[in-house]
Amino acid sequence: MKASATKWFKDVSITKKLYFVMGTMALLIIIELFTLWFSLNTLSSVRAFVAGEGLWSKAQKDAIYHLQKYSRTFNYDDYKQYQEFLKVPLGDHKALLELSKLNPDKKIVRQGFIEGRNHPDDVDGMLKLFTRFHSVSYIHKAINVWAEADSTIAKLIPIGDKLHNEISSPMRSIEKIDHIISEIDPINSKLTLLEDDFSYTLGEGARWLENLILSILFIIAITVEFWGLFLTISVSIRIRKGINEIIWISDKVAKVDFSDRAKIYSKDEIGRLAVSFNNMTDDLQETISQKIHIENELKETTKELIRSNNELEQFAYITSHDLQEPLRMVTSYVQLLESRYKDKLDKDAREFIGFAVDGTERMRNLIHSLLDYSRVNKSKPFEQLNLNSILDTILLDIKHQVVENKILIKVDKLPIITGDANLMTHLFQNLISNAIKFKTDKPLEIHISGKKVNSEYLFSVRDNGIGVPKEYSDRIFVIFQRLHTKDKYPGTGIGLAICKKIVEQHGGRIWVESELNKGSSFFFTVKQ
């Protein structure tokens, strides 16, 4: 199981490796946030119990006060006040009684807590705290104290009944009333001690829970950092290992030594490049006879590869963007060899060399697009831009293509904005070239417009091309997401992702409104 997972991770593309690293980090962060949320809710429930104890204590004190007052005034309103304040402990008694059952009825528990004047928003948390942590020593002790206080305050009820009956009696006796009232003080004293014990125990439990939460969060944070570094270093090492293998084998080829081949460590982009390099080496071994001349040329290539290796290592775990130079050198020299030794190469050899050149060229296009994507964040300071001049320059560059394909491009007068000229040029070039690429058989029409809307500028590039299915309207702005095959519509799947980054760099957003086979309207905003 472990071996198969390691093999899968080794063979997936560099992009998927990066997605996997980011996904793992995101999952760990979600777990950390969930733990924090759960902890805060639990601490809030402890706070609710402490507040509930305060309500219980105040109601108990007020009930005894009014009962004692009733013994002096004989005013029935004082007795009614005593009964009203007693409802708080009785409500909590109802909740405690139900919670002591094997399968408590949550509706009864909630009703009991609410009758005990606990806030309705706190009731569910109090219930979960009781059921989840009742076996924890602090919570267990607090429950026992609560149960003892509940049984103690229950003794107040018959005393109140006796007092009321005595006062209501036509033959009431002051001595009996005083005797009845004297029974209250021991109960009150005991309840005071129990209330203090309950608050102290919950306080200790809260501190224990806080320390536990901090420990858990610390462990999770360390885990996030560890796995992030582990996965990043792992990906970087695998990429660097494959690159070093290609450099090593290229040095062997430069010395006209064809006895070895580059080891294929994975099936990602580096692995496919190694395969192409090996295929090229096989073809060269069969066709190249003047080894000294080839050695001189490949030594120069190797020097260029070694000089760029330090920069490759710095960014290897992201996309190996400096690989474009060695790729260009390899392609150039292979084409040069093919040109100089074409009389000595058979048809199959020329075809194989062509495959190697095409493969490295596709990789170079992909890396070039990735570099464009990464450079968006490295823009110059913003300045006043005349977008009309920028569009004039772009349309002049593609004038031949527009005339040849009978494309109608209409540009409304665009506003002056603050931004980066290079990035805005790249943005409009991508959107216009996309419209041209995905045109239908009918004459293509492109309409570019822009206006100020509130505190931002709104621009649109509309066409009557093939359109975008609605379910893919968000996906097309994600890097490497393609809706069509490369054979029909060549490309890297990065252009619209670059557009999105450029727009976000200017404080805006980009979206598409489209209907299949009826064209697309790309909208984007730029902050004023």
Side-chain angles (χ1 to χ4, degrees):
M1 183 70 177
K2 182 179 179 181
S4 61
T6 303
K7 185 178 184 300
W8 170 84
F9 187 75
K10 179 182 68 175
D11 291 340
V12 297
S13 67
I14 296 173
T15 303
K16 290 183 178 178
K17 286 186 176 76
L18 295 175
Y19 283 160
F20 177 79
V21 171
M22 290 186 291
T24 303
M25 294 288 290
L27 177 62
L28 291 172
I29 291 172
I30 288 172
I31 293 173
E32 185 175 10
L33 291 175
F34 174 78
T35 304
L36 181 60
W37 170 82
F38 177 80
S39 304
L40 290 175
N41 277 327
T42 304
L43 286 174
S44 177
S45 300
V46 173
R47 173 200 56 78
F49 263 108
V50 173
E53 184 277 330
L55 292 171
W56 193 97
S57 177
K58 185 177 184 305
Q60 170 256 316
K61 300 294 184 188
D62 287 340
I64 290 178
Y65 167 76
H66 283 283
L67 188 61
Q68 291 174 333
K69 185 179 178 183
Y70 178 49
S71 70
R72 297 191 302 271
T73 62
F74 306 148
N75 187 340
Y76 184 68
D77 288 340
D78 290 326
Y79 184 71
K80 288 173 64 178
Q81 285 293 318
Y82 150 76
Q83 291 179 317
E84 188 65 27
F85 281 114
L86 203 59
K87 288 180 180 179
V88 173
L90 291 176
D92 290 334
H93 169 76
K94 181 192 292 186
L96 178 62
L97 188 64
E98 189 63 29
L99 284 170
S100 63
K101 297 179 180 179
L102 186 61
N103 294 306
D105 188 330
K106 294 182 180 180
K107 290 183 178 179
I108 296 176
V109 175
R110 289 191 184 97
Q111 184 61 36
F113 277 134
I114 291 173
E115 289 176 8
R117 294 185 183 175
N118 294 285
H119 197 282
D121 292 343
D122 293 334
V123 168
D124 285 338
M126 296 170 70
L127 174 59
K128 290 176 182 177
L129 179 69
F130 190 101
T131 54
R132 288 174 179 170
F133 299 98
H134 67 276
S135 59
V136 175
S137 60
Y138 298 104
I139 304 301
H140 183 70
K141 181 180 177 182
I143 292 171
N144 289 337
V145 174
W146 179 15
E148 187 176 356
D150 184 69
S151 62
T152 302
I153 200 171
K155 298 176 182 178
L156 196 62
I157 297 174
I159 294 174
D161 292 341
K162 284 196 300 180
L163 180 62
H164 178 61
N165 291 336
E166 184 62 30
I167 292 173
S168 300
S169 173
M171 303 294 292
R172 72 167 68 104
S173 170
I174 299 301
E175 292 181 359
K176 288 185 177 181
I177 291 173
D178 290 341
H179 178 72
I180 294 171
I181 289 299
S182 67
E183 298 178 20
I184 295 176
D185 287 338
I187 295 174
N188 190 34
S189 299
K190 184 176 181 180
L191 288 174
T192 299
L193 293 175
L194 290 172
E195 289 159 1
D196 290 343
D197 194 12
F198 183 84
S199 297
Y200 178 81
T201 302
L202 278 184
E204 286 291 303
R207 283 186 287 275
W208 167 80
L209 184 60
E210 182 180 356
N211 291 331
L212 177 63
I213 289 167
L214 289 175
S215 299
I216 293 173
L217 290 177
F218 177 76
I219 291 171
I220 293 176
I222 291 296
T223 303
V224 171
E225 293 296 330
F226 170 78
W227 278 106
L229 288 173
F230 173 76
L231 291 174
T232 302
I233 293 172
S234 176
V235 172
S236 176
I237 289 174
R238 289 182 183 278
I239 293 175
R240 187 164 59 249
K241 190 175 181 181
I243 293 173
N244 289 338
E245 182 69 19
I246 294 174
I247 293 174
W248 173 77
I249 199 66
S250 69
D251 187 60
K252 300 271 288 186
V253 173
K255 296 175 182 178
V256 200
D257 181 357
F258 301 104
S259 59
D260 292 314
R261 296 293 179 268
K263 292 181 181 179
I264 312 301
Y265 292 104
S266 63
K267 296 180 181 179
D268 57 12
E269 293 86 345
I270 304 294
R272 291 197 295 272
L273 176 61
V275 170
S276 298
F277 204 97
N278 286 341
N279 291 338
M280 180 193 71
T281 304
D282 290 338
D283 296 336
L284 290 175
Q285 185 178 12
E286 296 175 1
T287 58
I288 298 176
S289 57
Q290 299 180 4
K291 292 185 179 182
I292 298 177
H293 180 70
I294 294 175
E295 179 180 0
N296 292 333
E297 291 182 334
L298 290 182
K299 277 184 178 180
E300 188 63 28
T301 303
T302 303
K303 290 178 182 178
E304 291 296 325
L305 285 170
I306 293 173
R307 279 196 295 268
S308 64
N309 186 45
N310 291 332
E311 296 179 2
L312 274 170
E313 290 183 349
Q314 181 181 2
F315 199 49
Y317 69 93
I318 297 178
T319 186
S320 301
H321 67 290
D322 284 337
L323 195 60
Q324 60 180 337
E325 181 63 22
L327 284 174
R328 185 164 55 248
M329 294 291 292
V330 170
T331 303
S332 298
Y333 279 114
V334 170
Q335 291 174 340
L336 179 62
L337 291 173
E338 181 184 23
S339 174
R340 290 194 179 186
Y341 303 105
K342 61 183 178 180
D343 295 336
K344 299 179 181 180
L345 298 174
D346 59 20
K347 181 180 179 182
D348 289 340
R350 286 193 295 271
E351 183 178 3
F352 293 155
I353 290 178
F355 288 153
V357 172
D358 289 344
T360 54
E361 184 66 23
R362 286 196 299 272
M363 177 63 73
R364 186 175 63 182
N365 289 337
L366 175 61
I367 292 172
H368 183 72
S369 297
L370 282 171
L371 287 173
D372 287 342
Y373 182 79
S374 65
R375 287 177 184 140
V376 171
N377 291 330
K378 302 176 182 178
S379 61
K380 300 177 294 185
F382 285 178
E383 57 186 356
Q384 292 287 319
L385 300 181
N386 187 337
L387 294 181
N388 299 286
S389 298
I390 289 176
L391 261 297
D392 288 342
T393 303
I394 294 173
L395 296 180
L396 184 63
D397 290 341
I398 63 172
K399 181 178 179 181
H400 178 74
Q401 186 179 10
V402 170
V403 174
E404 183 178 349
N405 292 278
K406 298 179 180 180
I407 301 171
L408 175 62
I409 300 180
K410 179 183 177 183
V411 181
D412 294 344
K413 184 174 177 60
L414 301 178
I416 304 297
I417 69 167
T418 301
D420 184 301
N422 291 332
L423 295 183
M424 294 307 296
T425 300
H426 205 159
L427 172 62
F428 280 106
Q429 283 176 337
N430 277 355
L431 293 177
I432 293 172
S433 62
N434 262 15
I436 295 174
K437 182 193 298 186
F438 297 105
K439 67 184 185 68
T440 60
D441 294 334
K442 61 185 179 182
L444 176 63
E445 296 180 4
I446 301 174
H447 183 193
I448 303 171
S449 63
K451 60 182 179 180
K452 184 177 179 181
V453 179
N454 298 325
S455 61
E456 61 185 8
Y457 295 100
L458 174 65
F459 297 91
S460 65
V461 178
R462 306 172 187 268
D463 63 65
N464 61 343
I466 64 174
V468 179
K470 290 184 178 180
E471 60 269 26
Y472 298 116
S473 58
D474 292 327
R475 175 180 166 184
I476 58 174
F477 296 104
V478 179
I479 191 169
F480 300 125
Q481 299 299 307
R482 299 177 50 85
L483 306 185
H484 309 281
T485 62
K486 291 185 179 179
D487 294 336
K488 190 173 183 180
Y489 297 104
T492 61
I494 301 177
L496 287 176
I498 293 176
C499 291
K500 184 174 184 292
K501 284 193 72 174
I502 292 174
V503 171
E504 290 175 348
Q505 189 77 358
H506 287 76
R509 63 189 185 93
I510 187 170
W511 70 96
V512 64
E513 295 177 3
S514 179
E515 189 173 347
L516 208 57
N517 298 320
K518 292 188 178 181
S520 304
S521 296
F522 285 85
F523 297 92
F524 66 90
T525 61
V526 174
K527 277 194 174 181
Q528 186 175 354

